[in-house]
Amino acid sequence: MKRGKTTAEPAPPVSLFLFGAHGDLVKRLLMPAIYNLARDGLLDPNLHIVGVDHNEVSDAEFASRLKAFILEQAKAKTPDVPGDQVIDPAVWDPLAQRISYVTGDFTSDDTYQTLALKLQANNTANAVFYLATSPRFFTEVSQRLNRAGLLYEQPNAYRRVVVEKPFGSDLATAQTLNAKLLEVMTERQIYRIDHYLGKETVQNIMVNRFSNGIFEAFWNNHYIDHVQITAAESVGVETRGSFYDQVGALRDMVPNHLFQLLAMVAMEPPAAFGADAVRGEKAKVVGAIRAWTKEEALANSVRAQYVSGTDGKPGYREEPRVDPQSQTETYVALKVMIDNWRWMGVPFYLRTGKRLSVRDTEIAICFKPAPYAQFRDTSVDYIKPNFLHMQIQPDEGMYFDLQAKRPGPALVIDNVKLGFAYKDFFQMQPSTGYETLLYDCFTGDQTLFQRADNIENGWRAVQPFLDAWAEHDTVSEYPAGSDGPADADELLARDGRAWHSLG
């Protein structure tokens, strides 16, 4: 989604330094995304990719490993494509010639002197430093880049740093990290990335809202009863046990992914479709989330952990590298309120969890019921509410639930869907969700990246839940493969509402 353009031009030449080059993020997501951008003609021929990590490998071996992982991912997504056609040599071979590798310690200034020489040899004025590392290195790497002069910009030479989540573990640590980064660079050099914002259907939320006049008239508390935002995963923690056990579902998903979806649904129309205006409105709406007291936070939240289900797969505490006594939540459901003119009185219900029945990320907007006194003398005693569904993944699309009379002499009302699936209207190339974000970073568009105030507002909104749970460190349970804990159903039931079915 390019601002003000119908076609995208190739990004300028740049050296992309990938810190943590042997990690899963680089192999599974970033390099496939770079290949896809090259395939689509969106990269300059003078793009250079430099892996940085402590392992000792040659340039050729590093490029060969990356190609193997791209092949693996591509085959999984396009199983019907013959193996020799998954990667186009005309795309890969020129790209591979510009892949190199630096063996180095992130905590040694010698590494950064080597990177400075590499940048000079690449003959590219622009540089992007992608921190695909453990969060403990974010400040360390940034400060050493600055000491080596690698963050110094000139009129025709930009320097940008991409920071992955988790961006802090609570409000205090997020504020400290922001302050440390801003000591050595400006806000416009920092690209805090959230891969959810790279998904086409997420970007399309703003297009749906602000380019279709029919929506804005009823996009407020006069017509909307409540909003549900769901990010359900059918997988468990897999190989991430040691990391996840220190983080949990709330920190992993809510202040970033789910609040970004909330912001796109609830933000005011920006004055212009540019980075500052869009990010300003998103920060405002996240900043307007009501701060619960500890007691209110407990009453308006559910935290739970999956246990072994009927499929025989292990419960969370039996997963590799997880504490057998762990109280870390793998599921969280929250009720939040936005205290502004548009949304006063409209609850936003958020839920996310692992090892649920299906993989399902969606936004469900429930409208207030229509008057139904005219059906008083018929068999119709209840009319389902109208929902607008924005399906993020899988089967991306948008659907509106309507009520219609079933054919026949009796008055029987059925729920029908009006909508579309993206795959039926657009040719959608396989993607990782990082393509747009990388391209925007190369071209200097920060619209889809989080600003410091947005990050801190998100942590400010979840801090009461963290504080309350710290004093009541117990989790409920739900069977793996289910729709979640009964407590989550009760959270809505006491408001006279119910979750939209998963899937």
Side-chain angles (χ1 to χ4, degrees), residues 335-349:
K335 174 184 174 181
V336 300
M337 306 295 293
I338 298 175
D339 289 338
N340 65 16
W341 189 273
R342 182 185 293 266
W343 296 109
M344 183 61 69
V346 177
F348 283 69
Y349 299 102

mmCIF file of all heavy atoms in Angstrom, residues 335-349:
data_model
loop_
_atom_site.group_PDB
_atom_site.id
_atom_site.type_symbol
_atom_site.label_atom_id
_atom_site.label_comp_id
_atom_site.label_asym_id
_atom_site.label_seq_id
_atom_site.Cartn_x
_atom_site.Cartn_y
_atom_site.Cartn_z
ATOM 1 N N LYS A 335 -10.893 -6.915 28.565
ATOM 2 C CA LYS A 335 -11.889 -5.919 28.204
ATOM 3 C C LYS A 335 -11.259 -4.557 28.432
ATOM 4 O O LYS A 335 -10.781 -4.264 29.530
ATOM 5 C CB LYS A 335 -13.144 -6.064 29.075
ATOM 6 C CG LYS A 335 -14.177 -4.963 28.868
ATOM 7 C CD LYS A 335 -15.340 -5.136 29.839
ATOM 8 C CE LYS A 335 -16.336 -3.982 29.763
ATOM 9 N NZ LYS A 335 -17.445 -4.146 30.734
ATOM 10 N N VAL A 336 -11.219 -3.740 27.373
ATOM 11 C CA VAL A 336 -10.664 -2.396 27.510
ATOM 12 C C VAL A 336 -11.696 -1.389 27.004
ATOM 13 O O VAL A 336 -12.549 -1.710 26.163
ATOM 14 C CB VAL A 336 -9.336 -2.237 26.749
ATOM 15 C CG1 VAL A 336 -8.292 -3.210 27.267
ATOM 16 C CG2 VAL A 336 -9.518 -2.416 25.253
ATOM 17 N N MET A 337 -11.605 -0.183 27.528
ATOM 18 C CA MET A 337 -12.492 0.912 27.136
ATOM 19 C C MET A 337 -11.651 2.072 26.611
ATOM 20 O O MET A 337 -10.563 2.343 27.124
ATOM 21 C CB MET A 337 -13.328 1.381 28.331
ATOM 22 C CG MET A 337 -14.111 0.296 29.040
ATOM 23 S SD MET A 337 -15.420 -0.467 28.029
ATOM 24 C CE MET A 337 -16.547 0.928 27.851
ATOM 25 N N ILE A 338 -12.159 2.738 25.600
ATOM 26 C CA ILE A 338 -11.484 3.895 25.032
ATOM 27 C C ILE A 338 -12.268 5.140 25.438
ATOM 28 O O ILE A 338 -13.429 5.302 25.050
ATOM 29 C CB ILE A 338 -11.382 3.791 23.505
ATOM 30 C CG1 ILE A 338 -10.555 2.555 23.117
ATOM 31 C CG2 ILE A 338 -10.758 5.053 22.915
ATOM 32 C CD1 ILE A 338 -10.500 2.300 21.628
ATOM 33 N N ASP A 339 -11.633 5.983 26.213
ATOM 34 C CA ASP A 339 -12.321 7.160 26.741
ATOM 35 C C ASP A 339 -12.131 8.352 25.810
ATOM 36 O O ASP A 339 -11.306 9.247 26.060
ATOM 37 C CB ASP A 339 -11.807 7.478 28.150
ATOM 38 C CG ASP A 339 -12.261 6.451 29.166
ATOM 39 O OD1 ASP A 339 -13.261 5.755 28.911
ATOM 40 O OD2 ASP A 339 -11.605 6.334 30.225
ATOM 41 N N ASN A 340 -12.890 8.343 24.734
ATOM 42 C CA ASN A 340 -12.947 9.530 23.874
ATOM 43 C C ASN A 340 -14.370 9.671 23.337
ATOM 44 O O ASN A 340 -15.243 8.841 23.585
ATOM 45 C CB ASN A 340 -11.897 9.491 22.755
ATOM 46 C CG ASN A 340 -12.117 8.360 21.761
ATOM 47 O OD1 ASN A 340 -13.184 7.755 21.685
ATOM 48 N ND2 ASN A 340 -11.087 8.073 20.980
ATOM 49 N N TRP A 341 -14.607 10.722 22.586
ATOM 50 C CA TRP A 341 -15.959 11.071 22.146
ATOM 51 C C TRP A 341 -16.578 9.965 21.286
ATOM 52 O O TRP A 341 -17.746 9.624 21.428
ATOM 53 C CB TRP A 341 -15.898 12.384 21.360
ATOM 54 C CG TRP A 341 -17.242 12.975 21.035
ATOM 55 C CD1 TRP A 341 -18.017 12.700 19.953
ATOM 56 C CD2 TRP A 341 -17.961 13.937 21.808
ATOM 57 N NE1 TRP A 341 -19.176 13.432 19.987
ATOM 58 C CE2 TRP A 341 -19.170 14.208 21.128
ATOM 59 C CE3 TRP A 341 -17.696 14.604 23.004
ATOM 60 C CZ2 TRP A 341 -20.105 15.108 21.599
ATOM 61 C CZ3 TRP A 341 -18.637 15.505 23.473
ATOM 62 C CH2 TRP A 341 -19.826 15.741 22.768
ATOM 63 N N ARG A 342 -15.790 9.394 20.387
ATOM 64 C CA ARG A 342 -16.322 8.422 19.437
ATOM 65 C C ARG A 342 -16.671 7.089 20.087
ATOM 66 O O ARG A 342 -17.668 6.458 19.732
ATOM 67 C CB ARG A 342 -15.310 8.199 18.309
ATOM 68 C CG ARG A 342 -15.788 7.219 17.226
ATOM 69 C CD ARG A 342 -14.689 6.960 16.207
ATOM 70 N NE ARG A 342 -14.372 8.134 15.419
ATOM 71 C CZ ARG A 342 -14.896 8.423 14.228
ATOM 72 N NH1 ARG A 342 -15.773 7.596 13.690
ATOM 73 N NH2 ARG A 342 -14.539 9.504 13.584
ATOM 74 N N TRP A 343 -15.853 6.656 21.064
ATOM 75 C CA TRP A 343 -15.961 5.282 21.528
ATOM 76 C C TRP A 343 -16.427 5.149 22.982
ATOM 77 O O TRP A 343 -16.458 4.035 23.514
ATOM 78 C CB TRP A 343 -14.609 4.578 21.373
ATOM 79 C CG TRP A 343 -14.198 4.474 19.939
ATOM 80 C CD1 TRP A 343 -13.203 5.162 19.321
ATOM 81 C CD2 TRP A 343 -14.805 3.648 18.936
ATOM 82 N NE1 TRP A 343 -13.145 4.817 17.998
ATOM 83 C CE2 TRP A 343 -14.117 3.893 17.733
ATOM 84 C CE3 TRP A 343 -15.869 2.744 18.932
ATOM 85 C CZ2 TRP A 343 -14.446 3.256 16.544
ATOM 86 C CZ3 TRP A 343 -16.206 2.105 17.754
ATOM 87 C CH2 TRP A 343 -15.497 2.358 16.583
ATOM 88 N N MET A 344 -16.803 6.236 23.624
ATOM 89 C CA MET A 344 -17.232 6.154 25.018
ATOM 90 C C MET A 344 -18.380 5.154 25.171
ATOM 91 O O MET A 344 -19.393 5.242 24.483
ATOM 92 C CB MET A 344 -17.679 7.528 25.514
ATOM 93 C CG MET A 344 -18.081 7.548 26.989
ATOM 94 S SD MET A 344 -16.732 7.073 28.086
ATOM 95 C CE MET A 344 -15.619 8.472 27.893
ATOM 96 N N GLY A 345 -18.196 4.199 26.058
ATOM 97 C CA GLY A 345 -19.225 3.204 26.338
ATOM 98 C C GLY A 345 -19.161 1.967 25.486
ATOM 99 O O GLY A 345 -19.938 1.028 25.707
ATOM 100 N N VAL A 346 -18.237 1.899 24.501
ATOM 101 C CA VAL A 346 -18.115 0.727 23.629
ATOM 102 C C VAL A 346 -16.959 -0.140 24.121
ATOM 103 O O VAL A 346 -15.799 0.268 24.042
ATOM 104 C CB VAL A 346 -17.861 1.146 22.167
ATOM 105 C CG1 VAL A 346 -17.669 -0.089 21.288
ATOM 106 C CG2 VAL A 346 -18.999 2.003 21.652
ATOM 107 N N PRO A 347 -17.235 -1.341 24.638
ATOM 108 C CA PRO A 347 -16.129 -2.189 25.088
ATOM 109 C C PRO A 347 -15.395 -2.826 23.909
ATOM 110 O O PRO A 347 -16.009 -3.210 22.907
ATOM 111 C CB PRO A 347 -16.818 -3.256 25.945
ATOM 112 C CG PRO A 347 -18.242 -3.247 25.532
ATOM 113 C CD PRO A 347 -18.549 -1.919 24.949
ATOM 114 N N PHE A 348 -14.086 -2.923 24.045
ATOM 115 C CA PHE A 348 -13.248 -3.657 23.102
ATOM 116 C C PHE A 348 -12.764 -4.907 23.825
ATOM 117 O O PHE A 348 -12.094 -4.812 24.861
ATOM 118 C CB PHE A 348 -12.062 -2.806 22.654
ATOM 119 C CG PHE A 348 -12.403 -1.760 21.628
ATOM 120 C CD1 PHE A 348 -13.186 -0.668 21.973
ATOM 121 C CD2 PHE A 348 -11.946 -1.865 20.324
ATOM 122 C CE1 PHE A 348 -13.511 0.311 21.035
ATOM 123 C CE2 PHE A 348 -12.259 -0.900 19.371
ATOM 124 C CZ PHE A 348 -13.047 0.190 19.731
ATOM 125 N N TYR A 349 -13.119 -6.071 23.299
ATOM 126 C CA TYR A 349 -12.713 -7.342 23.891
ATOM 127 C C TYR A 349 -11.571 -7.919 23.055
ATOM 128 O O TYR A 349 -11.707 -8.105 21.847
ATOM 129 C CB TYR A 349 -13.874 -8.324 23.926
ATOM 130 C CG TYR A 349 -15.064 -7.855 24.743
ATOM 131 C CD1 TYR A 349 -16.203 -7.348 24.122
ATOM 132 C CD2 TYR A 349 -15.048 -7.933 26.132
ATOM 133 C CE1 TYR A 349 -17.297 -6.917 24.856
ATOM 134 C CE2 TYR A 349 -16.140 -7.508 26.880
ATOM 135 C CZ TYR A 349 -17.262 -7.003 26.237
ATOM 136 O OH TYR A 349 -18.345 -6.578 26.980
#
